Amino acid sequence: MSTHCNNLICLGDSYTIGESVALHAGFPYQTIQLLRSVGLHFHAPEIIAQTGWTTNNLISAINAQSLAPNYDLVTLLIGVNNQYQNLYFQIYQYEFPELVNKAIALGKGDKTNVIVVSIPDYAYTPYGKQSSNQSKISIEIDKYNAFAQKYCLDNNIVFINITDITRLGLLNTALVASDGLHPSEQAYSLFVERILPKATVA
């Protein structure tokens, strides 16, 4: 077995940093732990993400860093704050493909090194339940995810749907973090179960 050590970079927002859970409990670190458990050598994940980031914030953050295009695996999960801030949907339509192309460039120019993860649905959390627009949130999240999924399908990029997991958040409160809004460690574990089969190609 090769002793080459692989690199993972995760691009996104609060769902990528794992807001309200321990660092090791978010999906980037859980992914690394499982990849190592099946014999793949990986450095600790690099993360470019902050709570509240929109697609534009993420583009700016990537552009501001001098990143070498040497990642064996790149994940992208972005868009919820575009929806939350009621930004024009056209902004996402324009900026999501740009982010996918940046992800491919970081992944050694190889689109098979990129995994796009769908946007969770925060309507199914205690926070979202209090909203007067609970159904509107879900409809708009579906619109964002449908666009991202079609773009990925058309361009032969892996798209992992985890939104259905987050829609169990009101039935299974263990899937929601202590802040009543973000996914819990258990929810991220379920994300990783879906991500892992596509990540082991690294």
Side-chain angles (χ1 to χ4, degrees), residues 96-165:
F96 174 78
E98 183 178 348
L99 281 166
V100 171
N101 288 328
K102 287 184 181 298
I104 293 168
L106 289 171
K108 303 178 179 178
D110 185 348
K111 64 175 65 176
T112 66
N113 289 338
V114 175
I115 294 175
V116 174
V117 182
S118 72
I119 303 168
D121 187 352
Y122 65 92
Y124 290 82
T125 64
Y127 176 90
K129 188 180 179 182
Q130 294 170 7
S131 169
S132 58
N133 296 315
Q134 194 178 2
S135 61
K136 178 175 176 280
I137 293 167
S138 294
I139 290 167
E140 291 179 353
I141 294 286
D142 279 345
K143 184 178 179 182
Y144 277 80
N145 281 328
F147 175 82
Q149 185 169 20
K150 184 178 188 308
Y151 181 85
C152 290
L153 186 66
D154 289 347
N155 291 280
N156 297 310
I157 294 156
V158 172
F159 181 89
I160 305 288
N161 176 38
I162 53 79
T163 309
D164 59 315
I165 295 169

Side-chain angles (χ1 to χ4, degrees), residues 6 16-17 34 70-71 77-78 80 88 129 139 145 154 159 166 171-172 177 201:
N6 296 287
T16 296
I17 62 171
L34 280 175
N70 65 345
Y71 294 92
L77 196 179
I78 194 71
V80 71
Y88 290 115
K129 188 180 179 182
I139 290 167
N145 281 328
D154 289 347
F159 181 89
T166 63
L171 291 171
N172 181 0
V201 298

